[in-house]
């Protein structure tokens, strides 16, 4: 008897290994997956300007980065003692105008350089709802708690999202031909938009992604990872959500990660991941008697394992004290 449906996931062509360089952009679920890749010491870059919820925000960011269009003072506004940029998450806010521009432009340069050598771009789409700033007539990535009356809330159509995704693929591949693009729809429920509105939004995203993947020009070297479907169909229980009943729980994130790992990461890389996990657990160990000979032997063994990994993968870094 089977008490659970399972979402089939085709094995990815050109899967991720330890020679790969992965860019992750989009909703907070990209951060979850990026955090896993970072833990296992893959070379990755995630959300350089912070979380980007909708396709237009991701498109705008990538166009700026690839074209090296730096931000100037006109891109900023001052509110409540902080400088803000509508294109970036509030984590980049700063009390100093020069400093925020340096941070934003530094991230654009970092992204362009990383994309030039990237092998995979992983994009998680959170919502099709956008906010257009009325004064500047531009769609923003983040409203920064500016009064809602200054924006028009709009739902991107399937055709608008399709055009945006096609432009995203063309933009990143203008730097690196053959770059593999993986799309996903975030399992996070945007219930502040409304229950029906959230479903409309997800439906638009799903329809647009699969329209793009159905075109030979854009579908080649592109794929879809069903994180949304796994949450909705395999994990259909509120115990797999966090206390807010909106975000997937840590257990759900781990479960979806295991699905991603099985389909998108090579078996050889998974063996290295096991070795990295052993080191990570060793680093997280908190001894009762740090000066004991037993613990010093444990540290020596841990250093040996780190040295072995670094000999094969020199970019790996593990903080080890004592």
């Amino acid at each position: 008897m089977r008490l659970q449906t399972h979402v089939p996931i085709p094995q990815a062509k050109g899967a991720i290994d330890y020679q790969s360089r992965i860019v992750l952009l989009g909703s907070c679920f990209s951060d979850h997956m990026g955090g896993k890749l970072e833990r296992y010491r893959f070379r990755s870059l995630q959300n350089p300007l912070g979380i980007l919820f909708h396709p237009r925000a991701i498109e705008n960011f990538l166009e700026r980065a690839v074209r090296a269009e730096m931000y100037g003072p006109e891109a900023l506004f001052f509110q409540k003692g902080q400088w803000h940029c509508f294109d970036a998450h509030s984590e980049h806010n700063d009390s100093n105008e020069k400093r925020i521009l340096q941070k934003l432009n530094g991230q654009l340069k970092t992204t362009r350089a990383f994309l030039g050598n990237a092998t995979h771009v992983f994009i998680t789409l959170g919502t099709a709802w956008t906010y257009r700033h009325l004064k500047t007539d531009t769609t923003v990535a983040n409203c920064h708690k500016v009064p809602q009356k200054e924006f028009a809330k709009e739902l991107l159509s399937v055709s608008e999202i399709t055009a945006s995704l096609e432009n995203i693929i063309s933009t990143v591949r203008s730097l690196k031909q053959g770059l593999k693009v993986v799309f996903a729809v975030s399992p996070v429920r945007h219930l502040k938009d409304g229950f029906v509105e959230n479903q409309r939004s997800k439906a638009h995203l799903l329809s647009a992604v699969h329209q793009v993947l159905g075109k030979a020009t854009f579908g080649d070297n592109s794929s879809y990872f069903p994180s949304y479907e796994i949450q909705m169909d395999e994990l259909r229980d509120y115990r797999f959500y966090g206390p807010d009943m909106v975000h997937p729980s840590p257990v759900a994130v781990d479960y979806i990660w295991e699905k991603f790992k099985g389909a998108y990461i090579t078996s050889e890389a998974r063996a290295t991941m096991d070795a990295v996990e052993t080191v990570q657990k060793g680093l997280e160990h908190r001894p009762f008697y740090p000066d004991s000979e037993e613990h010093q032997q444990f540290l020596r063994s841990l250093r040996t394992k780190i040295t072995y990994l670094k000999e094969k993968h020199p970019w790996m870094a593990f903080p080890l004290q004592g």
Side-chain angles (χ1 to χ4, degrees), residues 36-83:
K36 297 290 188 183
L37 291 169
E38 185 178 328
R39 176 177 177 82
Y40 291 105
R41 294 302 187 261
F42 287 91
R43 288 178 286 189
S44 63
L45 177 70
Q46 62 189 65
N47 279 333
L49 290 191
I51 293 169
L52 302 172
F53 292 103
H54 60 78
R56 285 272 176 84
I58 299 169
E59 178 188 12
N60 177 58
F61 166 68
L62 286 171
E63 284 187 332
R64 270 192 174 272
V66 170
R67 296 175 185 173
E69 295 177 0
M70 299 295 109
Y71 288 104
E74 71 283 352
L76 307 179
F77 67 96
F78 193 72
Q79 176 179 265
K80 296 182 179 179
Q82 295 278 305
W83 289 97

Side-chain angles (χ1 to χ4, degrees), residues 24 32 42 52 59 63 94 98 107 115 126 128 139 156-157 159-160 182 186 191 230 241 261 265 277 287 298 302 322:
L24 301 102
H32 288 314
F42 287 91
L52 302 172
E59 178 188 12
E63 284 187 332
D94 202 292
K98 184 177 180 180
Q107 295 291 50
L115 277 170
T139 299
L156 294 174
S157 68
S159 61
E160 287 174 323
V182 183
S186 172
L191 297 184
I230 293 169
Y241 286 91
K261 184 171 74 171
I265 298 178
E277 180 65 12
F298 171 80
L302 194 55

